[in-house]
């Protein structure tokens, strides 16, 4: 796409069509969502469609990729807060229908939480659609370089590139949490459809490696090459290093 605005609208329209189709079938739509700058305009367009076109999220169930640990849900950097401000508080999704990893858990409770998060997704039959971003280091979710293809939902130590990119939000590198809870690659790969968004020149290198490079745990997004129904939605600059 020429720019992220047009691209985001196209993605939001695909999600809306899926929700409407599932509603017709009397089935819930199971969506996987990301935070960060990449999906913001998609969420804006979904809100607009809710307000102006009656698009309802009453039968939508969502699971977010990740949350920093430790993190209080009302903190300025919290992904719970981000999702509420950017999407959930502006649509008619029931509060019980959205799920975000819990950054307030003690370390001992995290494994059980992660197993439960995956069990809930499985019980619903997995994701109909997963919306992803990509890190400059090729991460998806907080599945950092080194993550294996069948990795489960877990506490992950953040990579230095991720921390550098988050430093501005936390007011300094030393204030960025060392860890985050992330959905594993395994559940992402089981989604029926994956759409990855990337905007800007700073993403061009990881996008080129993800699409055209050899599949490697060094760039977890390369695993998506093995997924049968993944689309990368890029603006011109993010696509600029593709051959
Ligand atoms: C966000 C997430 C991350 C981001 C990625 C890109 O929930 O899991 O993988 O999608 O770091 O971030 P932005 O979109 O801010 O460039």
């Amino acid at each position: 796409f020429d720019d992220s605005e047009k691209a985001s609208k196209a993605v939001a329209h695909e999600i809306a069509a899926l929700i409407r189709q599932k509603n017709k079938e009397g089935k819930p739509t199971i969506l996987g969502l990301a935070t960060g700058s990449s999906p913001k305009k998609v969420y804006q367009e979904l809100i607009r469609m809710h307000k102006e076109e009656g698009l309802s999220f009453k039968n939508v169930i969502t699971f977010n990729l990740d949350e920093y640990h430790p993190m209080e849900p009302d903190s300025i950097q919290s992904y719970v807060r981000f999702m509420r401000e950017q999407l959930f508080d502006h649509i008619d999704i029931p509060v019980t229908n959205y799920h975000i990893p819990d950054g307030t858990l003690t370390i001992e409770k995290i494994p059980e939480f992660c197993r439960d998060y995956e069990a809930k997704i499985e019980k619903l039959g997995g994701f109909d659609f997963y919306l992803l971003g990509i890190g400059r280091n090729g991460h998806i979710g907080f599945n950092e370089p080194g993550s294996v293809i069948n990795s489960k939902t877990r506490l992950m130590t953040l990579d230095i590139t991720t921390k550098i990119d988050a430093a501005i939000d936390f007011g300094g590198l030393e204030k960025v949490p060392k860890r985050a809870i992330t959905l594993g690659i395994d559940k992402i790969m089981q989604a029926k459809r994956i759409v990855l968004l990337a905007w800007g020149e700073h993403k061009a290198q990881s996008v080129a490696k993800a699409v055209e490079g050899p599949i490697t745990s060094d760039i977890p997004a390369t695993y998506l090459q093995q997924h049968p129904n993944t689309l990368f939605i890029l603006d011109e600059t993010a696509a600029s290093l593709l051959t």
Side-chain angles (χ1 to χ4, degrees), residues 1-11 37-38 41 134 195-208 211 231-242:
F1 284 84
D2 297 342
D3 60 65
S4 62
E5 182 108 17
K6 282 187 202 149
S8 299
K9 283 192 177 151
V11 175
S37 58
S38 308
K41 291 190 189 120
I134 182 170
V195 170
L196 182 147
L197 311 174
W199 326 126
E201 210 181 333
H202 62 298
K203 295 292 175 74
Q205 212 157 30
S206 62
V207 164
V211 177
L231 185 67
F232 275 50
I233 299 268
L234 312 168
D235 66 3
E236 290 226 5
T237 48
S240 60
L241 293 180
L242 292 170

Side-chain angles (χ1 to χ4, degrees), residues 34-39 65-66 79 132-135 139-142 202-203:
T35 56
S37 58
S38 308
L65 281 168
D66 39 26
Y79 285 170
L132 290 176
I134 182 170
H139 73 201
I140 46 175
F142 279 141
H202 62 298
K203 295 292 175 74

Side-chain angles (χ1 to χ4, degrees), residues 25-90:
E25 294 168 14
K27 292 184 187 148
T29 310
I30 317 302
L31 291 185
L33 300 177
T35 56
S37 58
S38 308
K40 278 188 178 177
K41 291 190 189 120
V42 174
Y43 298 153
Q44 277 165 25
E45 179 66 4
L46 288 173
I47 294 168
R48 191 200 62 75
M49 284 190 277
H50 168 66
K51 299 210 156 125
E52 294 175 15
E53 296 169 13
L55 177 67
S56 173
F57 293 79
K58 282 206 171 107
N59 290 315
V60 174
I61 302 176
T62 69
F63 291 83
N64 263 78
L65 281 168
D66 39 26
E67 173 62 295
Y68 293 107
H69 186 274
M71 181 56 67
E72 290 297 323
D74 50 1
S75 292
I76 193 99
Q77 304 91 354
S78 159
Y79 285 170
V80 174
R81 180 163 171 171
F82 176 99
M83 286 310 299
R84 292 191 54 182
E85 288 180 353
Q86 299 294 325
L87 182 64
F88 298 146
D89 286 355
H90 310 284

Side-chain angles (χ1 to χ4, degrees), residues 6-25:
K6 282 187 202 149
S8 299
K9 283 192 177 151
V11 175
H13 295 173
E14 179 178 336
I15 295 172
L18 173 67
I19 295 171
R20 289 188 173 118
Q21 179 57 35
K22 286 275 177 176
N23 279 346
K24 255 191 224 162
E25 294 168 14

